[in-house]
Amino acid sequence: MDAWVRFSAQSQARDRLCRAAQYACSLLGHALQKRGASPELQKQIRQLEGHLSLGRKLLRLGNSADALESAKRAVHLSDVVLRFCITVSHLNRALYFACDNVLWAGKSGLAPRVDQEKWAQRSFRYYLFSLIMNLSRDAYEIRLLMEQESSGYSRRQKGSGGGTPGGSETGGPGDPGTPGGGLPQIALKLQLRVLLLARVLRGNPPLLLDVVRNACDLFIPLDKLGLWRCGPGIVGLCGLVSSILSILTLICPWLRLKP
Amino acid sequence: MEAFTRFTNQTQGRDRLFRATQYTCMLLRYLLEPKADKEKVVMKLKKLESSVSTGRKWFRLGNVVHAVQATQQSIHATALVPRLCLTLANLNRVVYFVCDTVLWARSVGLSSSINKEKWRTWAARHYCCSLLLSLARDLYEISLQMERAARDKARRDEALSRDPLGHSVADEGTEWLQAFLLLLFRSLRRHPPLLLDTVKNLCDILNPLDQLGIYKSNPGVIGLGGLVSSVAGIITVAWPQLKLKIH
């Protein structure tokens, strides 16, 4: 009980719970539609989803300030690439929240002349840019860790007296490829790369969580902007998974990716 | 801006801000309604008030657990009167939040067979009881503080060897009232959390009293009361040392 009180005292936690519920409703509605459930039940689920969506828009009023504050903090990071990616991502988030506030004003009747479609498209565009920046940052971190891991491996190999016969395949990008590499050679290289990636991600749970979360979130704006229509089922599932993962990072703060 | 984000990161902080907005809209609507050319503004205020009120329900979901935890904490209060008052007040709050959750289920369309009026009356009744019990506790604490202040004053007067009975019998009535009010003012000034809590409970009780028909007032008074109590709530969230603690 104490854990719930502490958890729900953060407004972000409540927002994530509502988001999980919203996408669960979307997924459930899609599943019920496919199985031909009663229209009454479908209408109830859709209504609940609508209420959740509007309620979340109200809960998010003021999140622009939070995003700007995070952007201000990110400007002081030492690594140039991280600084750029994280700051731009937060700035795009701030713009997304600003568009979301305009949409709320339109939906709640305060500004009835707001063009809902136009502002919705704008908000999803900013959300997409922010997710792309997050994924770039994740890719950069993965690359750094892979380089670290492979140089550590090659150092260990040298230390144990002579590498594997046939040249070391785990070298970094500066590694001269074996001459005349055929298809099996490329396949082997790819396999080793994938193994290295898996090892890096397994040893770094916050990074893995962040990658999966951003990848799942990516489907939502791609579908809403019409770039890659995946259907309400996939959108619902991805939204639900990413909400659950971000609830996990709130419950266990060590799972949060720190810059 | 950092202080604002820290404040809004707490659910209670955000909820109090929205509550203040909701009651400000109610107050402004009452003030602007009689004016001739302000219909559009009044309409917008009504829409804002209703959407904020609906949205705030999401903040209250799950507060049953908060109230149960508060009940458990208040059982451990040392003095008998606060223990009794706070425990009963928190139990009433538990019932209020249960009614509120049922009303939420009705409003999002999960269950259409719920009698809204009945549950609304129950919610208002239990909210009113909880506020009355909190006020009883506040009065008890005020009386303790006044006793303490009176003892301190008597000791100071004795030290200065001033005759405490040196006054004419004719002025005894008004002087007693004056001394009482002065003592009340002094004890509340020395104890800001108690003042904030008393003001908050007094302002909050206007709404359920109006809903239950016990003391009908106008939306302006309720709006002003709600706004003052929300501001008091914002102060206790922003400065947690001003929250009235259970001893």
Side-chain angles (χ1 to χ4, degrees):
Chain A
M1 201 158 54
D2 196 41
W4 162 256
V5 170
R6 260 181 293 124
F7 178 71
S8 63
Q10 304 171 66
S11 59
Q12 219 193 356
R14 272 197 201 232
D15 178 54
R16 293 281 157 235
L17 276 174
C18 290
R19 187 177 193 253
Q22 184 185 336
Y23 283 110
C25 284
S26 166
L27 184 62
L28 193 63
H30 176 74
L32 288 175
Q33 197 182 27
K34 278 188 109 173
R35 282 174 205 240
S38 74
E40 181 70 36
L41 184 62
Q42 284 186 47
K43 187 169 142 227
Q44 263 184 338
I45 301 279
R46 258 200 312 269
Q47 221 178 2
L48 181 61
E49 194 192 331
H51 280 284
L52 273 163
S53 166
L54 193 59
R56 274 186 66 221
K57 286 203 192 322
L58 179 80
L59 262 67
R60 287 203 295 249
L61 284 180
N63 273 10
S64 293
D66 188 41
L68 283 174
E69 196 53 42
S70 310
K72 232 169 57 168
R73 276 201 302 266
V75 164
H76 300 297
L77 287 171
S78 45
D79 190 311
V80 177
V81 176
L82 282 182
R83 197 192 314 166
F84 175 73
C85 287
I86 300 178
T87 310
V88 172
S89 158
H90 282 306
L91 285 173
N92 274 298
R93 261 181 69 225
L95 287 167
Y96 159 68
F97 284 128
C99 295
D100 197 57
N101 293 346
V102 172
L103 279 172
W104 171 80
K107 281 214 169 107
S108 60
L110 284 174
R113 278 187 304 230
V114 161
D115 186 353
Q116 297 270 329
E117 255 320 297
K118 191 173 80 169
W119 283 94
Q121 294 286 308
R122 256 186 213 160
S123 77
F124 282 122
R125 228 175 288 148
Y126 288 126
Y127 186 42
L128 180 66
F129 291 154
S130 149
L131 285 173
I132 291 173
M133 281 290 120
N134 284 346
L135 282 169
S136 316
R137 178 262 182 112
D138 289 336
Y140 177 71
E141 297 250 18
I142 288 175
R143 191 186 134 136
L144 278 182
L145 285 168
M146 278 172 75
E147 264 174 44
Q148 242 175 35
E149 187 77 24
S150 64
S151 69
Y153 181 73
S154 57
R155 240 182 290 131
R156 278 200 298 276
Q157 286 287 63
K158 283 196 192 111
S160 67
T164 52
S168 152
E169 289 291 89
T170 54
D175 180 40
T178 51
L183 209 56
Q185 203 75 293
I186 297 173
L188 186 63
K189 241 186 165 173
L190 199 63
Q191 200 184 29
L192 284 165
R193 266 275 202 262
V194 168
L195 280 172
L196 186 61
L197 174 70
R199 196 190 162 115
V200 157
L201 286 176
R202 206 177 53 192
N204 211 315
L207 184 56
L208 173 64
L209 232 70
D210 202 55
V211 169
V212 174
R213 202 160 62 96
N214 289 324
C216 285
D217 275 337
L218 198 63
F219 286 99
I220 302 166
L222 284 178
D223 180 85
K224 295 282 195 311
L225 290 169
L227 295 167
W228 185 6
R229 294 222 176 266
C230 20
I234 305 270
V235 166
L237 181 66
C238 289
L240 181 61
V241 168
S242 87
S243 306
I244 291 175
L245 289 177
S246 75
I247 288 172
L248 260 173
T249 57
L250 283 170
I251 296 176
C252 315
W254 63 87
L255 284 175
R256 211 190 171 121
L257 187 63
K258 309 273 188 306
Chain B
M1 197 158 67
E2 206 191 297
F4 176 72
T5 49
R6 251 183 295 127
F7 181 76
T8 52
N9 274 341
Q10 301 175 65
T11 307
Q12 234 195 340
R14 236 178 242 237
D15 180 49
R16 295 275 157 248
L17 272 175
F18 285 135
R19 190 173 190 257
T21 314
Q22 185 185 334
Y23 283 108
T24 311
C25 290
M26 198 188 266
L27 178 64
L28 284 174
R29 249 195 326 135
Y30 174 75
L31 293 171
L32 294 175
E33 218 149 22
K35 303 233 164 92
D37 55 346
K38 303 279 181 189
E39 284 114 12
K40 264 179 117 176
V41 179
V42 169
M43 190 57 142
K44 290 224 168 118
L45 283 171
K46 189 160 185 203
K47 288 206 174 116
L48 177 60
E49 189 193 325
S50 103
S51 64
V52 170
S53 160
T54 316
R56 274 185 61 223
K57 289 197 204 293
W58 295 105
F59 280 123
R60 293 202 293 262
L61 274 186
N63 273 7
V64 186
V65 181
H66 290 237
V68 170
Q69 200 201 36
T71 315
Q72 278 183 344
Q73 278 172 352
S74 53
I75 289 177
H76 299 297
T78 44
L80 176 65
V81 174
R83 195 186 328 159
L84 197 63
C85 290
L86 282 177
T87 310
L88 288 174
N90 283 319
L91 281 173
N92 273 294
R93 267 180 70 218
V94 171
V95 180
Y96 162 68
F97 281 126
V98 168
C99 298
D100 195 51
T101 309
V102 170
L103 284 169
W104 165 83
R106 170 82 164 83
S107 74
V108 295
L110 280 177
S111 167
S112 44
S113 58
I114 291 171
N115 185 346
K116 212 156 82 157
E117 272 317 308
K118 189 173 78 168
W119 284 92
R120 207 176 269 177
T121 313
W122 276 357
R125 205 176 296 155
H126 286 282
Y127 185 45
C128 192
C129 287
S130 122
L131 286 171
L132 281 171
L133 287 159
S134 303
L135 274 171
R137 180 264 183 123
D138 287 334
L139 282 169
Y140 171 77
E141 298 270 354
I142 290 175
S143 71
L144 277 184
Q145 291 290 323
M146 281 173 74
E147 239 176 90
R148 204 172 293 162
R151 269 203 307 267
D152 289 344
K153 183 169 186 299
R155 234 180 289 137
R156 269 203 310 272
D157 286 346
E158 241 180 76
L160 293 168
S161 63
R162 211 186 300 166
D163 182 14
L165 295 168
H167 56 265
S168 81
V169 181
D171 294 324
E172 218 175 271
T174 48
E175 229 183 77
W176 180 86
L177 185 65
Q178 233 177 10
F180 178 80
L181 288 174
L182 199 64
L183 203 60
L184 177 67
F185 172 71
R186 267 209 201 111
S187 14
L188 284 176
R189 200 178 60 179
R190 267 204 283 186
H191 207 89
L194 182 57
L195 172 66
L196 270 173
D197 199 59
T198 313
V199 166
K200 196 161 76 84
N201 289 328
L202 278 172
C203 290
D204 273 337
I205 208 162
L206 293 169
N207 199 355
L209 286 179
D210 179 84
Q211 274 183 342
L212 294 168
I214 299 173
Y215 179 62
K216 284 251 177 236
S217 45
N218 56 54
V221 169
I222 298 177
L224 183 64
L227 177 61
V228 170
S229 92
S230 305
V231 169
I234 288 171
I235 292 173
T236 54
V237 173
W239 291 279
Q241 65 268 20
L242 287 176
K243 198 175 171 118
L244 190 60
K245 308 272 187 301
I246 305 170
H247 303 292

